[in-house]
Amino acid sequence: MMPVVKSGPADLIKANLREIMESVQGEGLLMGSRQVFVRLSGCNLNCSYCDTPESREASAVCKIYPQAGRRLNVREEANPVSPARLSAIIQRYFASRWVSFTGGEPLLQADYIKESAALLKPYGYRLFLETNGTLPGALAECLAGIDYISMDWKLPSAVGADYSPAHEQFLSLALQKPCYVKMVISQDSKEGEIGDAFKRIAAISSDTPVILQIATPGPFCQSPDMDRMLTWQGLGLQFLKEVRVLPQLHHLLGLT
Ligand code: SF4
C-alpha cells in the first residue's frame, strides 16, 4: 500500500487525491444537488459496506472526469496535488458551485481541506464535508471553512468497534454548522445498536436530522428488510424530530 502523503507548512501542503468528478449528490439532505466531488485517499476504518475500497489506498495519479455523472474522457494529474492546483482544476472543468470533500476519510488531510477552502471560497464555492465522523480533532482544524457536514454514525456491526464516544465529540463540534447524521443500515444491523445511537444523538441535540441510508448490496453486505427499516425509523422518531429513510440516488440513476 502506498502511504498517504502528509502535509507540511502552508506553502507545501499537498494531498493525495483519488479522483475529481462532477455528479449529483446521491445521499443525505443535499441529495440531487450538483456537486464536484474531490475524493481524498486514505481511511482509518474498514466498513463492511464500503463502496470505494480503492480510495483507502494512496494513488500515483489523481483521475479527473470532465463529463458529469460518467467516468469517461479521463485526465490524469500526478499526486500529490496542491490546493492551488485543485482550485484551478475545479474552475477549468466544472460548473458546480458545491465542492464535496469525500473519500476515503477526507479529515485525514484536514490541513489540505483548510487551505483549499481558503482558496475556493472567494470564488463563491460552498464546501461540503462527507466524513466518517471519527476524527473530531481534525474537524476542529478545518471547521471554519466548511459550509455543510454529512457525518456518518458507524454501527459496531459494520466496523467491528464502537466509535460512539468519538462520534459524540464530533457531533457536538459539527453542529456549529448545518449538519446531519447518516447511518448506513444493512441486513446485519442490530436494533440495539441503532437505538443506542438514536439516544446518544438526541442527548446532544434532538434537532439533529438523521438519515437511515439503505445499504446498496455489495460483496460483503445486503440491503435491509424494509419493514425493519420502518420499525427503526419509528424508533428514532421517539427521540429525534427528523429521521428519514433514503437510498443512494446515484445508483438508482445509473450515475457515478
Ligand atoms: S469510512 Fe467510508 S471510505 Fe472508509 S471504509 Fe468506511 S465507507 Fe469506506
Side-chain angles (χ1 to χ4, degrees):
M1 178 186 294
M2 291 178 63
V4 172
V5 174
K6 300 303 290 183
S7 302
D11 60 339
L12 297 177
I13 287 174
K14 294 181 178 181
N16 191 286
L17 306 181
R18 193 81 200 180
E19 62 181 3
I20 306 170
M21 55 174 288
E22 188 177 34
S23 191
V24 295
Q25 173 56 250
E27 301 177 354
L29 295 185
L30 296 187
M31 181 181 279
S33 69
R34 183 82 165 246
Q35 299 190 348
V36 179
F37 295 86
V38 179
R39 190 176 303 285
L40 286 85
S41 306
C43 188
N44 57 326
L45 300 183
N46 185 13
C47 307
S48 60
Y49 49 72
C50 185
D51 59 1
T52 57
E54 68 288 345
S55 68
R56 298 182 67 247
E57 296 185 17
S59 170
V61 295
C62 168
K63 295 190 173 179
I64 302 163
Y65 299 99
Q67 184 176 335
R70 305 283 175 222
R71 283 194 172 89
L72 298 173
N73 306 320
V74 63
R75 273 86 163 153
E76 291 189 342
E77 182 83 14
N79 269 317
V81 178
S82 70
R85 183 66 188 139
L86 173 66
S87 176
I89 290 169
I90 290 172
Q91 292 179 64
R92 173 175 178 185
Y93 289 109
F94 306 108
S96 172
R97 308 316 287 176
W98 272 111
V99 176
S100 170
F101 286 94
T102 187
E105 173 45 52
L107 287 178
L108 289 176
Q109 301 178 87
D111 48 0
Y112 183 79
I113 295 174
K114 179 181 175 183
E115 292 300 318
S116 299
L119 289 180
L120 289 165
K121 290 181 80 70
Y123 291 101
Y125 290 102
R126 290 176 291 171
L127 302 192
F128 187 47
L129 176 65
E130 300 187 79
T131 167
N132 64 29
T134 61
L135 301 170
L139 176 64
E141 192 177 336
C142 62
L143 182 62
I146 302 297
D147 294 292
Y148 209 123
I149 299 171
S150 170
M151 172 200 161
D152 287 358
W153 194 286
K154 299 294 187 185
L155 299 175
S157 60
V159 290
D162 183 3
Y163 284 92
S164 300
H167 284 324
E168 288 170 323
Q169 278 186 46
F170 194 101
L171 179 59
S172 298
L173 197 56
L175 285 172
Q176 293 178 27
K177 298 290 176 114
C179 169
Y180 63 83
V181 171
K182 184 184 78 186
M183 236 182 277
V184 178
I185 306 294
S186 75
Q187 191 66 16
D188 295 328
S189 302
K190 308 281 187 293
E191 183 163 319
E193 60 185 359
I194 297 170
D196 180 65
F198 287 147
K199 290 176 196 167
R200 289 175 183 266
I201 295 165
I204 296 167
S205 172
S206 61
D207 289 329
T208 309
V210 173
I211 308 298
L212 299 182
Q213 181 171 294
I214 301 165
T216 300
F220 304 107
C221 152
Q222 292 300 313
S223 298
D225 175 85
M226 281 312 298
D227 289 330
R228 293 171 84 197
M229 284 294 276
L230 294 183
T231 298
W232 293 338
Q233 183 185 34
L235 175 65
L237 288 169
Q238 294 176 23
F239 306 100
L240 295 153
K241 293 178 183 163
E242 181 73 273
V243 181
R244 299 189 191 181
V245 173
L246 292 177
Q248 287 183 298
L249 178 68
H250 52 297
H251 285 306
L252 295 179
L253 299 179
L255 299 173
T256 56

